Amino acid sequence: TGAQDAAIGSYAMDVLKDVTVSTRPPPFDASAPRFPAPKLYDYDTIVSSVSASKALVEAVEDAFAQLAQGKVDVPMPMHIGIAETSGAGPGDCHVKGGYIEGAPTWTVKLACVSFYNNVAKGLPAGSGVFVVCDAATGGPKAVLHENRYLTDLRTGAAGAVAVKHLAIKGAKTVAFIGTGVIAEAMARATATVHGFEEAFAFSPSPKKSSRFCKKMSAELGYPYFACATAEDAVRNADVVFTQTPGGEWVLEEEWLKPHALVVASGSDQPTKNELPPTLLANAKYVTDITAQCSRVGELRSAIAAGTMTTDDVHAELGQIISGARGGRVGTELIVCDLTGTGAQDAAIGSYAMDVLKDVTVSTRPPPFDASAPRFPAPKLYDYDTIVSSVSASKALVEAVEDAFAQLAQGKV
């Protein structure tokens, strides 16, 4: 059970906490071949090497197309809730992954979110790692300590794909409801495939809206205007991106231009909902994965409200990309629901590995900057260190025994 995995993980970390890990690989032994330890790429190396680009958007676009053709193995996301206790949480871990047929690697991602007690410690509420594995051998190739940076990039790339295939021809104006890192990712990625001329943004925090607009105007070369209300932003826009915590509706249908494209990415859990269910019912509604959107996306709320069923979904985004279904045909209102897929993670995992393959990773941690606290890179324990340090013991048996007891009490 996962309870056993959690137990031995905690037990092993306790045993290994004072163990020094050698930075040198073990001597090669031809009589006992083994998988080399995966390479650990730290956050700074990833951020300085991988960025929004047309090539990345195309990689994610192809992943959606392959998904629609049944050539991507994507399990449903797994969720682990971290209950708040004196020494943990509250927080959530989302596990996604996938393999695109014919790709050299496959990817599993841990996205740790909503650890809001971190803020008081000067740390971000989210973090994460990608584990990229060799598709030929199954062995792990790399651990990417991306702290959601790659997740944000691939989310932005999906938004760019939606604009490429669903926005009205000649769309000139765009709105952002929510002005955090996802909004920045959407703006940067979309700029690689479409040329907007004006942008409008709204956040409940005027300071955040203003900062976002100044930053994106300078970076992307067209004006961004901070708006006093969400309505002001939306009424101006041919394309609307929504990327909020999803606690409440962020717009009304009557604010939208008749031909608008709404790209919603804030709903990725059953508790979230950004858009009125009637909006979905009245629009041409497109999903990234219908089965997933019906569980955690905007579609879930529309089904619960009785305004839609899965039969009312026009298409998945990959079906439109591959030509299996039509996309925009005129001036209709379109909603694209992006919940985030393992296909995107697999795509950016392979893309990042290709970009990073010739990059030298520093073994020294970056200098400490009190103004920008961060999570240290995870420690990578190699096979030999683990085998020589962790073994069968009464204490290990008791740890697993306790995990079963906690499982029976609903605490796992």
Side-chain angles (χ1 to χ4, degrees):
T1 71
Q4 293 164 264
D5 296 324
I8 198 168
S10 291
Y11 176 83
M13 286 304 295
D14 187 59
V15 171
L16 292 166
K17 65 178 183 292
D18 297 320
V19 174
T20 300
V21 181
S22 173
T23 57
R24 295 184 179 182
F28 177 72
D29 181 356
S31 66
R34 66 171 67 197
F35 292 110
K39 197 168 183 179
L40 174 61
Y41 290 93
D42 63 282
Y43 177 79
D44 291 283
T45 298
I46 294 168
V47 171
S48 64
S49 304
V50 186
S51 59
S53 67
K54 185 178 180 182
L56 173 55
V57 172
E58 289 172 346
V60 170
E61 180 181 36
D62 181 67
F64 277 121
Q66 299 297 324
L67 179 65
Q69 296 173 49
K71 294 183 178 181
V72 185
D73 189 7
V74 180
M76 291 298 289
M78 182 172 74
H79 170 256
I80 302 172
I82 312 301
E84 185 171 15
T85 63
S86 60
D92 299 280
C93 177
H94 304 295
V95 184
K96 294 180 179 179
Y99 174 62
I100 302 168
E101 188 175 310
T105 64
W106 53 277
T107 298
V108 175
K109 179 190 73 179
L110 277 71
C112 302
V113 300
S114 304
F115 282 79
Y116 296 119
N117 286 343
N118 285 353
V119 176
K121 306 170 188 173
L123 292 170
S127 61
V129 297
F130 277 53
V131 180
V132 181
C133 299
D134 190 312
T137 66
K141 287 178 69 72
V143 175
L144 310 180
H145 185 224
E146 49 91 44
N147 279 341
R148 296 188 56 76
Y149 175 76
L150 294 179
T151 295
D152 295 342
L153 280 183
R154 62 79 150 147
T155 301
V161 171
V163 170
K164 179 178 178 179
H165 289 274
L166 300 174
I168 192 166
K169 186 177 181 179
K172 295 180 179 180
T173 54
V174 60
F176 297 87
I177 308 302
T179 57
V181 293
I182 297 297
E184 292 185 13
M186 293 290 187
R188 292 188 184 105
T190 303
T192 69
V193 296
H194 186 87
F196 287 114
E197 297 179 5
E198 287 185 310
F200 305 88
F202 171 77
S203 166
S205 167
K207 184 179 294 185
K208 290 181 179 179
S209 289
S210 179
R211 183 168 58 240
F212 170 78
C213 289
K214 289 178 181 177
K215 184 177 184 178
M216 291 295 101
S217 294
E219 188 175 322
L220 299 180
Y222 63 93
Y224 278 63
F225 302 100
C227 297
T229 67
E231 182 176 357
D232 289 342
V234 170
R235 285 192 181 277
N236 283 302
D238 297 316
V239 174
V240 179
F241 288 106
T242 65
Q243 49 279 313
T244 71
E248 58 187 22
W249 297 346
V250 299
L251 57 79
E252 299 294 339
E253 183 177 349
E254 56 265 29
W255 301 351
L256 293 161
K257 291 185 177 184
H259 61 261
L261 165 65
V262 180
V263 181
S265 62
S267 294
D268 59 0
Q269 295 182 45
T271 56
K272 296 182 177 182
N273 176 208
E274 290 188 303
L275 306 179
T278 53
L279 168 58
L280 273 64
N282 294 333
K284 178 179 281 184
Y285 174 69
V286 178
T287 66
D288 52 9
I289 298 182
T290 298
Q292 189 168 298
C293 287
S294 68
R295 289 180 53 186
V296 299
E298 296 297 329
L299 180 58
R300 179 199 62 81
S301 298
I303 292 172
T307 60
M308 289 183 72
T309 70
T310 55
D311 292 335
D312 296 314
V313 176
H314 171 69
E316 293 185 346
L317 184 55
Q319 292 176 309
I320 293 172
I321 295 166
S322 66
R325 296 294 304 273
R328 179 177 288 278
V329 296
T331 58
E332 72 270 35
L333 177 65
I334 300 179
V335 172
C336 184
D337 193 357
L338 301 177
T339 54
T341 74
Q344 292 163 257
D345 296 321
I348 198 169
S350 288
Y351 177 85
M353 287 302 296
D354 188 58
V355 171
L356 293 166
K357 64 179 182 292
D358 297 320
V359 173
T360 300
V361 181
S362 173
T363 57
R364 295 184 177 182
F368 177 72
D369 181 356
S371 67
R374 65 173 66 198
F375 293 103
K379 200 168 183 180
L380 193 60
Y381 291 95
D382 64 282
Y383 176 81
D384 291 282
T385 299
I386 295 168
V387 170
S388 63
S389 305
V390 185
S391 59
S393 68
K394 183 179 180 182
L396 173 56
V397 172
E398 290 173 345
V400 172
E401 180 182 34
D402 180 68
F404 279 121
Q406 299 295 323
L407 180 63
Q409 297 174 50
K411 295 183 177 181
V412 180

